[in-house]
């Protein structure tokens, strides 16, 4: 904009001086210089950027995506990798207790293939290891099933009191509740957590661990999310500081089903068509992750990297393996940053989801950090570029689609601005260079701006996405908003328009008509060519007829308003006099519409070549 302003100012001064010296009319010279400077300055750029990004944020909010940083809107369309959490994003986070394992036996609750009396202790201590009034979906499901199956027994222990809680920690993925019953001097400890953590607390032998790990693997391969349950008792009054100081006894395993969101499989397909990889990151077992991956159609479900494996890899090895690995299992939140950095090292544009405090570094490092709105922490939201209000993977894909649409339409709007200013500037300069009557006065350019401003800001912003928008590869993040090819296309269109209106101007003068007639026909032709340019630039993948009949209401309003305004200044005497126009007749209007439309429409004959250049 600064360059345009300096160049426009210098050219304006030159025109005023040249006009004044050659024609001796400094007042009209000043008007000519002012007209040229108005024609040259594309002041619409700042308006377009503001409106596109603001409206983009509003449209994303309608899709349950809250934008916290405006540049993320444009970056979304360039994403090459989506790294997403499994639980709550790909799945519903509605845990359904499906399978029990205890003392070498399985119980399938869904099929009622068991005698629950054998598993009452597993449900009892799973319940005791949870909150009385739980918030976590897992604990809610444990409570629901315990109360359902054990309500008529003594195993609910309503009279017991919680004495102490041992919370989950980074080093030990298990938590314990210490209970004491009235009149008893003995503490009862119930614990639940990751199976390997429970095995560790129970001090199992290697053979016992191997035997139980086989059952864990078998349940994980069915897509179950697993919790181990154990119990202990304690006699002393002074409770130990660590859970490891209790003598735990292993009870069994709880297996939960987390249903996949119905829209995920189709959204994954859409990502692959758009050239976007999807990487699943989960704290669950590889078998669980692979089962979900096959359900949703994730590529390469047989390949995975676990958190412990990730911890032992250097950055170079990970950067190589991550090219073909789409599943990361048993991963802790801190390792997300390592994954992001490896992808960025490979030149990927990364969008990463997260919800916890420990996800913040990865969300900041990713090109687009996506925080979960329903279950996310404040720290995660503050670190992210956008917030997903419904935690649904479908909303991420919809946001990518909208990001591509916004970038597409922004390029079209800027191309239109460059094109339309060329004939306006040309008509302001041409008569001065060749000592001809002035065509455009400041009032005429102001009229044109009343068309250009709403067209480039509202019409192009409201244009629906191209049909193939999600069948393209992601654009290069370094790609300029308005590159050389787009500039060439804009120049061709602008020159074509300029040639058409100058031809009308010279033809009118050649036919012996006066300055006012020449100005009127030329201006009317420029308006029609401008409207045709708008329609032509809205979409290069469909015909002008389809573009006119599209759902873009703003286009119809601008076309109707511009044509109505043109008729008013041509046929209302007071306005016609103010604009220094003459009355146009039927043959004049025929010339106006034919030349105005053909000056742009002929370019559609080169549609295939032009499509290859944009």
């Amino acid at each position: 904009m600064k360059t345009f302003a300096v160049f426009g100012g210098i050219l304006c001064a030159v025109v005023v001086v040249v006009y004044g010296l050659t024609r001796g009319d400094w007042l009209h010279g000043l008007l000519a210089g002012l007209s040229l400077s108005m024609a040259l300055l594309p002041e619409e750029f700042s308006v377009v950027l503001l409106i596109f990004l603001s409206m983009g944020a509003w449209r994303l909010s309608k899709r349950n995506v809250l934008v916290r940083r405006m540049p993320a809107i444009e970056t979304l369309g360039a994403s090459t990798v989506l790294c997403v959490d499994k639980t709550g994003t790909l799945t519903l986070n509605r845990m359904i207790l499906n399978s029990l394992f205890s003392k070498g036996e399985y119980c399938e609750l869904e099929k009622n293939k068991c005698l629950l009396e054998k598993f009452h202790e597993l449900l009892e201590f799973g319940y005791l290891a949870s909150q009385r009034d739980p918030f976590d979906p897992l604990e809610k499901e444990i409570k629901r099933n315990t109360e359902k199956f054990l309500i008529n027994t003594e195993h609910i222990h309503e009279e017991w009191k919680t004495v102490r809680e041992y919370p989950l920690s980074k080093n030990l993925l298990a938590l314990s509740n210490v209970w004491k019953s009235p009149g008893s001097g003995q503490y009862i400890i119930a614990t639940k957590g990751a199976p390997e953590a429970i095995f560790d607390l129970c001090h199992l032998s290697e053979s016992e661990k191997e035997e139980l790990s086989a059952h864990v693997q078998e349940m994980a391969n069915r897509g179950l999310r697993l919790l181990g349950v154990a119990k202990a008792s304690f006699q002393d009054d002074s409770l130990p500081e660590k859970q490891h100081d209790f003598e735990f006894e292993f009870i069994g395993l709880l297996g939960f089903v987390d249903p996949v969101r119905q829209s995920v499989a189709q959204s994954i397909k859409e990502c692959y068509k758009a050239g976007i990889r999807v990487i699943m990151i989960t704290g669950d077992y590889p078998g669980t992750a692979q089962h979900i991956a096959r359900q949703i159609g994730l590529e390469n479900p047989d390949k995975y990297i676990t958190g412990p494996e990730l911890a032992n890899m250097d950055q170079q090895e990970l950067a190589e393996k991550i090219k073909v690995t789409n599943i990361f299992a048993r991963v802790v939140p801190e390792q997300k940053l390592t994954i992001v950095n490896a992808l960025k090292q490979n030149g990927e544009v990364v969008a990463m989801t997260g919800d916890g405090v420990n996800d913040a570094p990865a969300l900041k490092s990713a090109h687009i950090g996506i925080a979960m709105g329903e279950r996310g922490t404040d720290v995660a939201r503050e670190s992210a570029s956008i917030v997903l209000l419904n935690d649904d993977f479908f909303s991420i894909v919809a946001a990518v689609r909208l990001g591509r649409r916004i970038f597409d339409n922004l390029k079209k709007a800027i191309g239109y601005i460059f094109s339309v200013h060329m004939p306006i500037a040309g008509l302001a300069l041409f008569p001065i260079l060749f000592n001809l009557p002035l065509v455009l006065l400041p009032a005429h350019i102001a009229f044109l701006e009343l068309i250009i401003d709403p067209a480039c800001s509202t019409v192009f912003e409201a244009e629906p996405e191209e049909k193939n928008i999600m069948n393209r590869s992601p654009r290069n993040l370094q790609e300029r908003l308005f590159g050389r090819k787009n500039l060439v296309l804009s120049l061709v269109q602008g020159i074509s328009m300029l040639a058409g209106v100058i031809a009308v101007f010279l033809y009118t003068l050649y036919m012996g008509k006066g300055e006012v007639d020449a100005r009127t026909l030329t201006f009317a032709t420029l308006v029609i060519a401008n409207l045709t340019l708008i329609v032509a630039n809205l979409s290069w993948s469909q015909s002008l007829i389809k573009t006119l009949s599209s759902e873009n209401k703003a286009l119809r309003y601008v076309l109707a308003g511009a044509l109505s305004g043109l008729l008013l200044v041509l046929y209302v005497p007071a306005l016609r006099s103010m604009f220094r126009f003459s009355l146009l007749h039927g043959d004049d209007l025929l010339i106006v519409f034919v030349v105005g439309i053909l000056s742009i429409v002929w370019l559609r004959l080169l549609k295939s070549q032009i499509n290859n250049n944009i």
Side-chain angles (χ1 to χ4, degrees), residues 456-475:
C456 63
S457 58
T458 59
V459 175
F460 282 94
E461 194 284 326
E463 180 65 11
E465 70 265 13
E466 302 281 358
K467 290 182 179 179
N468 68 339
I469 198 165
M470 290 299 279
N471 292 331
R472 310 175 194 166
S473 298
R475 65 177 178 81

Side-chain angles (χ1 to χ4, degrees), residues 478-494:
Q478 305 304 318
E479 177 187 339
R480 291 184 178 182
L481 183 60
F482 198 70
R484 183 180 60 83
K485 293 181 179 180
N486 304 97
L487 180 60
V488 170
L489 177 58
S490 295
L491 288 173
V492 171
Q493 291 184 112

Side-chain angles (χ1 to χ4, degrees), residues 168-182:
L168 197 74
S169 69
K170 178 181 176 181
N171 298 322
L172 183 63
L173 299 177
L175 57 86
S176 299
N177 287 338
V178 180
W179 300 87
K180 190 171 185 180
S181 61

Side-chain angles (χ1 to χ4, degrees), residues 23-161:
R23 305 191 188 192
D25 189 343
W26 291 95
L27 177 60
H28 282 85
L30 181 61
L31 291 175
L34 184 61
S35 298
L36 182 60
S37 64
M38 290 174 65
L40 282 173
L41 285 178
E43 73 282 354
E44 300 88 359
F45 282 163
S46 56
V47 176
V48 165
L49 288 171
L50 176 63
I51 290 179
F52 268 65
L53 294 179
S54 299
M55 290 297 294
W58 176 76
R59 293 186 190 281
L60 282 168
S61 71
K62 294 293 184 181
R63 290 167 170 78
N64 295 304
V65 177
L66 179 64
V67 179
R68 297 191 66 255
R69 296 181 179 89
M70 284 296 182
I73 298 175
E74 179 265 333
T75 310
L76 270 170
S79 302
T80 60
V81 177
L82 298 180
C83 296
V84 294
D85 297 304
K86 176 184 74 67
T87 304
T89 305
L90 300 177
T91 64
L92 293 170
N93 198 23
R94 294 177 188 166
M95 300 299 173
I96 301 171
L97 187 58
N98 175 273
S99 183
L100 309 177
F101 171 81
S102 182
K103 299 175 182 177
E105 293 188 39
Y106 289 100
C107 171
E108 303 298 327
L109 291 179
E110 194 177 51
K111 301 175 183 178
N112 293 320
K113 290 185 176 179
C114 58
L115 295 174
L116 280 170
E117 290 79 8
K118 295 182 179 180
F119 298 89
H120 76 267
E121 188 178 45
L122 177 60
L123 288 172
E124 173 189 0
F125 278 87
Y127 176 75
L128 290 173
S130 305
Q131 297 292 323
R132 286 289 195 189
D133 186 18
F135 172 79
D136 182 77
L138 280 171
E139 294 193 346
K140 283 184 176 181
E141 180 67 1
I142 292 172
K143 179 179 180 180
R144 187 183 70 82
N145 281 276
T146 304
E147 292 177 348
K148 175 182 177 182
F149 293 114
L150 304 183
I151 192 63
N152 295 322
T153 73
E154 71 280 6
H155 303 294
I156 299 297
H157 305 297
E158 293 287 354
E159 74 284 2
W160 284 18
K161 303 297 180 184

Side-chain angles (χ1 to χ4, degrees), residues 109-391:
L109 291 179
E110 194 177 51
K111 301 175 183 178
N112 293 320
K113 290 185 176 179
C114 58
L115 295 174
L116 280 170
E117 290 79 8
K118 295 182 179 180
F119 298 89
H120 76 267
E121 188 178 45
L122 177 60
L123 288 172
E124 173 189 0
F125 278 87
Y127 176 75
L128 290 173
S130 305
Q131 297 292 323
R132 286 289 195 189
D133 186 18
F135 172 79
D136 182 77
L138 280 171
E139 294 193 346
K140 283 184 176 181
E141 180 67 1
I142 292 172
K143 179 179 180 180
R144 187 183 70 82
N145 281 276
T146 304
E147 292 177 348
K148 175 182 177 182
F149 293 114
L150 304 183
I151 192 63
N152 295 322
T153 73
E154 71 280 6
H155 303 294
I156 299 297
H157 305 297
E158 293 287 354
E159 74 284 2
W160 284 18
K161 303 297 180 184
T162 308
V163 177
R164 182 170 176 176
E165 296 179 357
Y166 292 87
L168 197 74
S169 69
K170 178 181 176 181
N171 298 322
L172 183 63
L173 299 177
L175 57 86
S176 299
N177 287 338
V178 180
W179 300 87
K180 190 171 185 180
S181 61
S184 171
Q186 179 173 291
Y187 296 105
I188 302 297
I189 302 94
T191 189
K192 71 177 190 302
E196 62 268 29
I198 299 301
F199 297 165
D200 186 38
L201 284 175
C202 293
H203 305 294
L204 299 178
S205 65
E206 289 302 318
S207 60
E208 289 174 320
K209 287 181 181 179
E210 287 181 11
E211 181 183 349
L212 288 173
S213 294
H215 294 292
V216 168
Q217 188 64 44
E218 193 276 331
M219 295 177 76
N221 289 341
R222 290 190 278 134
L224 299 178
R225 186 174 184 180
L226 301 177
L227 281 180
V229 178
K231 67 176 181 178
S233 60
F234 196 75
Q235 292 287 348
D236 294 343
D237 291 334
S238 179
L239 291 169
E241 291 300 317
K242 299 179 181 178
Q243 298 180 69
H244 270 291
D245 293 332
F246 295 113
E247 293 292 331
F248 281 105
E249 176 188 345
F250 180 76
I251 299 175
L253 300 169
L254 301 171
F256 300 83
V257 171
D258 187 6
V260 172
R261 292 182 184 269
Q262 290 185 350
S263 60
V264 168
Q266 184 57 41
S267 297
I268 295 285
K269 287 182 182 177
E270 195 169 359
C271 285
Y272 289 147
K273 285 182 181 178
I276 302 172
R277 280 180 64 195
V278 180
I279 292 179
M280 178 200 299
I281 301 174
T282 179
D284 286 338
Y285 282 94
T288 305
Q290 288 178 302
H291 182 86
I292 298 296
R294 294 186 180 98
Q295 279 187 277
I296 63 178
L298 201 68
E299 289 182 348
N300 296 333
D302 295 329
K303 292 183 179 293
Y304 63 84
I305 295 175
T306 65
E309 291 171 347
L310 184 62
N312 293 322
M313 288 183 188
D314 60 37
Q315 195 69 20
Q316 194 59 44
E317 182 185 3
L318 176 59
E320 191 61 35
K321 287 190 175 182
I322 206 172
K323 292 178 181 179
V324 292
T325 304
N326 297 322
I327 299 175
F328 287 82
R330 303 309 273 173
V331 169
V332 295
E334 292 83 354
Q335 292 178 316
K336 285 185 176 182
L337 179 60
T338 306
I339 296 170
V340 170
N341 289 337
L343 290 168
K344 288 170 70 176
Q345 183 177 327
N346 290 340
E348 305 283 5
V349 180
V350 186
M352 167 69 77
T353 66
D355 55 12
V357 173
N358 294 329
D359 291 333
L363 293 175
K364 275 188 171 295
S365 179
H367 294 94
I368 308 162
I370 305 173
M372 301 295 104
E374 288 187 343
R375 65 181 191 275
T377 61
D378 290 340
V379 173
R381 294 191 193 100
E382 288 295 322
S383 303
S385 304
I386 63 177
V387 178
L388 208 61
L389 299 180
N390 63 350
D391 297 4

